[in-house]
Amino acid sequence: MKTLLLIPITLNLISAVRCIIVSEAAAAGANANQTSPPYYPSPWGTGDTAVEWAEAYDKARSFVSKLTLLEKVNLTTGAGWQTERCVGQTGSIPRLGFRSLCLQDSPMGVRNTDYNTAFPGGVTVAATFDRGLMYARGYAMGEEFRDKGVDVQLGPVAGPLGRHPDGGRNWEGFSPDPVLTGIGMAQTIKGIQDAGTIACAKHYILNEQEHFRQGQERGITDGVPVKESLSSNIDDRTMHELYLWPFADAVRAGVGSVMCSYNQINNSYGCQNSAILNHLLKDELGFPGFVLSDWGAHHSGVGSALAGLDMSMPGDTAFNSGASFWGGNLTLAVLNSSVPEWRIDDMAHRIVAAWYKVGRDKTQVPINFDSWTLETNGYEYFFSKEGDSQAIVNQHIDVRRNHRDLVRNVASRGTVLLKNTNNTLPLKNPRFIAIIGQDAGDNAAGPNGCDDRGCGNGTLAQGWGSGTANYPYLITPANAIQNQANEDGAVVQAIFDNNALEKIENVVKQASVALVFVSSDSGEGYITVDGNIGDRNNLTLWHGGEQLVKTASANCNNTIVIMHTVGPVLVDAFVDDPNVTAIVWAGLPGQESGNSIADILYGRVNPGGKSPFTWGKKRGDYGPEIIYRAESAVPQANFEEGVYIDYRAFDKASIDPVFEFGFGLSYTTFAYSNLQIINVKAGPYVPGSGTTDPAPETTNPASDEDLDQYRFPDGAPRIKSYIYPYLPEDASVNAGNDTDSIPTGAYDTSPQPILPAGGAPGGNPSLYDVLYHVTATVTNTGDITGEEVAQLYVSLGGPDDPPVVLRGFERLSIGPKGTTTFAVDLTRRDLANWDVVKQDWVVSERAKTVYVGSSSRKLELKGTIPAVKVVETQ
Ligand code: BGC
């Protein structure tokens, strides 16, 4: 006899079956207290829609068919915070030699270990606009994770996308432009997974600010007790055209896992929101991999399972509580049928298929590091201090190879030259170099002196939080410049004290060039630095940077400003100062910081990076503010600006930026000519149709006859706070009978309709058909070889469309006076809008304009795609 016992459900709406609901709110815009439509059942992964997944699913099905219920639960639930060695680890299946899966930060290198590489931040690789470098960085990271024994690298990041220029974690991702971020995601994922590690696209979705991402994290603000995480409220069109876009690219690139986020989306938590997990991710985007929760973003047992969550991380409800929404509670929920068996099978299939897809059966090595200590020996179980106290927990394996060369290359290629009066740069053998600013030097406490880089001391080469990696060393700008200056026989005087203004005046007066290093930092909300709770409080330079520049430029008419920042800063105070002869944005370069900036300053590398965001004159120009102070128990972030963030917002409101998106100078110059738009005459759009197979039957149903088989084995050692799959001690499968809270349709196993916009990983394959082939000629009009990021923008032509949106780019290397062809294939998705009524992408009948140029505001070439009668078969 099976009856129902329900584990806490906090679903917001539980009424409709799997059907498409276009609520007025969804079509009309983002409203406070907007709700999230229910979507059930949770799509079952099959691997049928993509050849790359088919074989992995076959193997996964065969493996899972051998598993007991307890073993399946072990795949889905973490062992608890700091219980094992990785930041997250699942249970294991010793009977079949299947080790506990190791999930480890970060998107820029292996976190919390040694002999690893600290790669450049996402924002810097974005600034290269170089697909090859994006892939190479991903591959190199994948190798390092793999060789440390990691199964899942917790990155890359497309959420935050960058709604707010001051959002704390923007730098972990790529850019507020969805196309640039989408390409960054796809290339990084392919790299990581080709190296044999599962990538994780995070944080899904609308995790745009740190304040209130976890309701409790910041407690009371202005007297309002915050009870729940902030809700990002969004309309359906903005979701598709902006925030979901790069996740579609991630899924299309074959990403194995997706991390759901802390925040709520339309007032339903990210890890139990059936609209974003079941509908958008698993159905429309056809995601065959698994969804894991952010650490502590899991809020319900049955509810999250039915809404599409596949893995609970780190497994415990509150860290080290010893309790879990899943673990033994999931075992119970399956036994009493609250969670159908096909759903837990589906979780297991998805996890194991991702594992096979990237070849973990061949590439896995033992976990050879410990996130919680760098000592060689330590307790087997860190949190409980149990097991062998002298276990070898760190083998200090050097996984770096020659990745330092790649780091240096990415960082110099991702450096953006913003101003260069009279070719001040590259430096021409200056006799006396003044190096000014703490951002040029060491952190007195050492490069890893602040946990998770949570301070702003010394040169800034990564932000702070879980998105970091320990430095194996950090080449400071002062070191690298000094090395070159020694070869050149120059004099160097460095002052790292930003308050020593008088001394600075005296030194820069003697200098042939003053190199002023300034910074602006941000990070994850669990660390507050200088009053910044993850998110930046403003866009000004840190440590008195503005005053530093002014002091130097007032005393030296050859002042060069180098900025290490997580995003845009306000430069209005000095950008037009004639004594500031050059400005360089060096982003977050990672461990080779000094070498990469010296390569640019001395002209060993001709700069070709472009800004992956807009530099405004004031914060207000960017639009929506971060919610720093809560006004309600559940803070409501209404994304009322729609698709207008970053350059789209500036362009719409005709606001002049200081430097626009896509802008960046070179030591040479380029010209654009000869735009050609060729209609490739693709076939008509074929909306998805038909139905899926029914839910697969479970091959080894769990029996509820003998409950003792699910209880903690007599006499077995029990590690404190460890999460096990065994039934809770007081559990009874007959404890309740509450079907009312089960969302309608959640248990439906019948074939489900294939969505018009769905059908394969990344959505309907015909969205990626090429409709137009665009070419243009780019000429290097100067005397030295240079690299130019040619860019293609489109105006979709509708009254609600941004003036231009980026749709293609290529980084071209061109010899002196040479020419090359820039080519972009425009796909159907590139030319379409999301139609909220049809629930599909539609290429409108409006004429579209294609622009090619060197930035979002320097669009040298223009052509038209004539208005066409829509031939879509809808
Ligand atoms: C962060 C994630 C990270 C996880 C594990 C969370 O607080 O939001 O990005 O992967 O912790 O460290």
Side-chain angles (χ1 to χ4, degrees):
M1 273 294 290
K2 292 187 178 183
T3 46
L4 291 172
L5 167 88
L6 290 179
I7 299 160
I9 289 193
T10 47
L11 291 171
N12 289 32
L13 284 176
I14 40 172
S15 55
V17 207
R18 186 194 290 191
C19 59
I20 296 147
I21 299 170
V22 187
S23 69
E24 277 179 28
N31 303 314
N33 305 317
Q34 185 162 313
T35 54
S36 187
Y39 196 86
Y40 297 93
S42 189
W44 33 90
T46 61
D48 290 350
T49 53
V51 274
E52 328 74 88
W53 283 93
E55 195 187 326
Y57 258 86
D58 282 347
K59 291 179 184 165
R61 271 189 293 260
S62 152
F63 181 78
V64 172
S65 71
K66 301 184 194 116
L67 302 186
T68 65
L69 174 58
L70 293 176
E71 288 168 336
K72 290 176 202 170
V73 168
N74 257 357
L75 282 174
T76 67
T77 308
W81 178 240
Q82 293 189 328
T83 52
E84 295 275 7
R85 300 215 204 140
C86 303
V87 295
Q89 261 182 254
T90 62
S92 58
I93 305 170
R95 186 175 65 89
L96 298 173
F98 194 90
R99 187 195 83 190
S100 144
L101 298 176
C102 164
L103 294 82
Q104 186 70 10
D105 296 306
S106 80
M108 59 168 292
V110 192
R111 181 183 175 210
N112 287 351
T113 186
D114 50 15
Y115 300 94
N116 62 282
T117 301
F119 289 88
V123 72
T124 284
V125 76
T128 69
F129 281 78
D130 187 317
R131 286 174 177 75
L133 290 177
M134 292 168 177
Y135 177 87
R137 174 176 167 274
Y139 190 86
M141 293 195 295
E143 286 181 313
E144 296 201 7
F145 279 83
R146 180 193 71 206
D147 293 351
K148 288 278 179 188
V150 175
D151 295 284
V152 182
Q153 174 180 356
L154 299 172
V157 170
L161 183 68
R163 178 182 188 231
H164 310 286
D166 28 23
R169 300 183 76 181
N170 292 358
W171 59 272
E172 290 186 44
F174 300 92
S175 160
D177 180 82
V179 169
L180 178 53
T181 290
I183 290 170
M185 291 293 282
Q187 295 300 98
T188 307
I189 288 162
K190 285 182 194 156
I192 294 170
Q193 298 198 156
D194 283 354
T197 303
I198 301 171
C200 176
K202 69 183 191 181
H203 307 83
Y204 182 73
I205 192 168
L206 311 185
N207 190 166
E208 294 294 320
Q209 64 167 70
E210 291 304 288
H211 285 74
F212 312 115
R213 65 174 185 160
Q214 301 192 68
Q216 318 83 330
E217 194 170 54
R218 293 296 149 213
I220 296 174
T221 313
D222 280 358
V224 181
V226 173
K227 296 215 176 87
E228 305 287 343
S229 295
L230 166 139
S231 175
S232 295
N233 302 325
I234 195 165
D235 65 277
D236 192 29
R237 177 183 167 217
T238 305
M239 179 64 117
H240 279 85
E241 294 188 12
L242 194 58
Y243 297 97
L244 190 62
W245 183 292
F247 284 100
D249 289 326
V251 175
R252 190 153 186 264
V255 73
S257 67
V258 168
M259 184 191 289
C260 49
S261 56
Y262 285 125
N263 55 291
Q264 304 194 63
I265 298 97
N266 294 335
N267 289 289
S268 172
Y269 273 105
C271 295
Q272 60 194 40
N273 184 318
S274 63
I276 68 148
L277 299 181
N278 285 347
H279 183 180
L280 295 183
L281 183 63
K282 290 186 169 177
D283 208 353
E284 188 179 313
L285 297 186
F287 174 54
F290 63 100
V291 177
L292 61 107
S293 71
D294 200 343
W295 270 233
H298 191 185
H299 295 280
S300 64
V302 174
S304 58
L306 300 179
L309 182 70
D310 302 303
M311 184 186 280
S312 172
M313 275 295 145
D316 30 21
T317 46
F319 287 0
N320 304 125
S321 59
S324 177
F325 288 112
W326 284 6
N329 278 322
L330 186 54
T331 305
L332 178 59
V334 174
L335 288 174
N336 70 22
S337 303
S338 312
V339 171
E341 288 209 78
W342 59 262
R343 183 70 266 273
I344 184 147
D345 281 4
D346 182 50
M347 295 174 191
H349 287 150
R350 288 170 175 276
I351 294 165
V352 179
W355 189 85
Y356 276 119
K357 177 170 183 287
V358 307
R360 294 299 298 157
D361 50 333
K362 298 181 199 81
T363 58
Q364 196 182 55
V365 298
I367 300 162
N368 51 54
F369 71 102
D370 190 324
S371 299
W372 322 115
T373 174
L374 292 173
E375 302 276 333
T376 304
N377 299 93
Y379 279 102
E380 225 174 319
Y381 301 101
F382 177 83
F383 174 74
S384 62
K385 309 235 174 313
E386 288 177 68
D388 178 0
S389 66
Q390 287 303 308
I392 296 177
V393 291
N394 279 304
Q395 292 175 39
H396 313 287
I397 292 178
D398 194 331
V399 295
R400 295 174 294 165
R401 301 169 173 79
N402 60 349
H403 293 158
R404 60 189 298 162
D405 296 346
L406 175 67
V407 170
R408 180 172 178 168
N409 195 22
V410 169
S412 59
R413 253 91 200 164
T415 296
V416 184
L417 180 63
L418 294 168
K419 177 179 178 181
N420 195 20
T421 312
N422 299 328
N423 299 322
T424 296
L425 287 175
L427 296 174
K428 293 156 195 81
N429 252 324
R431 290 191 68 213
F432 188 130
I433 303 171
I435 300 177
I436 305 300
Q438 73 158 57
D439 182 59
D442 285 315
N443 177 353
N448 300 319
C450 312
D451 285 349
D452 292 336
R453 310 300 81 75
C455 67
N457 306 339
T459 194
L460 182 72
Q462 43 183 314
W464 76 74
S466 67
T468 57
N470 288 338
Y471 292 111
Y473 59 81
L474 174 55
I475 309 280
T476 64
N479 281 343
I481 293 163
Q482 180 72 66
N483 287 345
Q484 181 65 46
N486 286 351
E487 281 184 27
D488 300 344
V491 163
V492 177
Q493 302 281 307
I495 302 180
F496 302 127
D497 179 354
N498 285 20
N499 298 317
L501 295 178
E502 252 178 61
K503 295 234 161 28
I504 291 169
E505 274 181 26
N506 292 337
V507 164
V508 300
K509 273 182 188 155
Q510 307 161 51
S512 0
V513 60
L515 302 174
V516 183
F517 286 84
V518 291
S519 64
S520 174
D521 201 358
S522 74
E524 192 173 347
Y526 69 91
I527 300 177
T528 298
V529 179
D530 204 7
N532 296 268
I533 304 170
D535 303 314
R536 287 189 282 172
N537 288 337
N538 51 54
L539 295 182
T540 54
L541 289 169
W542 283 36
H543 310 299
E546 217 172 88
Q547 187 55 47
L548 209 61
V549 175
K550 281 187 184 155
T551 305
S553 73
N555 295 284
C556 174
N557 66 2
N558 191 18
T559 295
I560 295 176
V561 179
I562 296 116
M563 304 188 286
H564 288 119
T565 72
V566 289
V569 289
L570 304 182
V571 294
D572 234 30
F574 56 85
V575 67
D576 294 326
D577 179 340
N579 288 350
V580 173
T581 47
I583 302 179
V584 180
W585 179 67
L588 296 174
Q591 69 189 41
E592 285 282 321
S593 173
N595 286 333
S596 54
I597 192 63
D599 286 345
I600 294 289
L601 296 177
Y602 285 97
R604 298 190 289 251
V605 170
N606 187 351
K610 302 271 184 165
S611 181
F613 48 76
T614 301
W615 300 69
K617 290 182 182 149
K618 52 183 196 300
R619 172 59 182 89
D621 291 350
Y622 289 90
E625 290 283 346
I626 283 175
I627 298 179
Y628 292 102
R629 290 168 184 279
E631 284 172 3
S632 60
V634 188
Q636 301 288 311
N638 301 322
F639 286 36
E640 282 160 353
E641 71 288 350
V643 296
Y644 297 97
I645 65 168
D646 199 70
Y647 69 88
R648 299 158 180 237
F650 282 73
D651 291 352
K652 181 180 187 221
S654 302
I655 298 169
D656 284 335
V658 184
F659 303 115
E660 70 273 18
F661 174 89
F663 175 75
L665 301 168
S666 161
Y667 297 153
T668 183
T669 44
F670 299 95
Y672 287 77
S673 60
N674 193 23
L675 178 70
Q676 303 213 4
I677 304 172
I678 299 154
N679 186 341
V680 177
K681 307 227 162 45
Y685 182 58
V686 188
S689 60
T691 54
T692 67
D693 287 338
E697 298 256 331
T698 193
T699 40
N700 50 348
S703 150
D704 64 354
E705 296 305 318
D706 172 18
L707 287 185
D708 285 345
Q709 62 182 305
Y710 302 106
R711 297 202 193 275
F712 201 93
D714 279 343
R718 186 167 201 145
I719 310 295
K720 191 173 149 222
S721 287
Y722 207 93
I723 304 300
Y724 293 97
Y726 305 113
L727 286 178
E729 258 149 37
D730 53 350
S732 148
V733 280
N734 302 320
N737 194 349
D738 174 11
T739 38
D740 293 351
S741 323
I742 294 297
T744 309
Y747 295 162
D748 187 357
T749 56
S750 66
Q752 298 296 313
I754 292 168
L755 299 180
N764 189 324
S766 9
L767 291 172
Y768 301 93
D769 291 345
V770 175
L771 302 194
Y772 293 89
H773 184 64
V774 182
T775 56
T777 303
V778 186
T779 306
N780 180 347
T781 48
D783 299 324
I784 56 167
T785 298
E787 292 176 12
E788 167 70 341
V789 177
Q791 298 159 49
L792 182 148
Y793 294 81
V794 171
S795 166
L796 294 173
D800 298 327
D801 289 319
V804 295
V805 287
L806 180 74
R807 285 296 189 254
F809 59 82
E810 201 69 57
R811 187 165 176 136
L812 308 164
S813 176
I814 316 177
K817 308 287 184 231
T819 62
T820 195
T821 301
F822 168 53
V824 172
D825 284 336
L826 282 176
T827 65
R828 182 171 271 117
R829 182 178 69 149
D830 287 333
L831 296 174
N833 288 104
W834 179 253
D835 185 319
V836 297
V837 176
K838 286 192 170 131
Q839 286 291 291
D840 203 356
W841 293 94
V842 173
V843 178
S844 75
E845 294 182 9
R846 295 173 194 280
K848 306 195 178 350
T849 316
V850 173
Y851 301 89
V852 167
S854 57
S855 81
S856 63
R857 291 258 171 137
K858 294 206 181 52
L859 300 165
E860 281 90 345
L861 309 175
K862 179 178 170 184
T864 306
I865 295 177
V868 283
K869 186 90 195 89
V870 173
V871 285
E872 314 288 339
T873 53
Q874 307 268 343

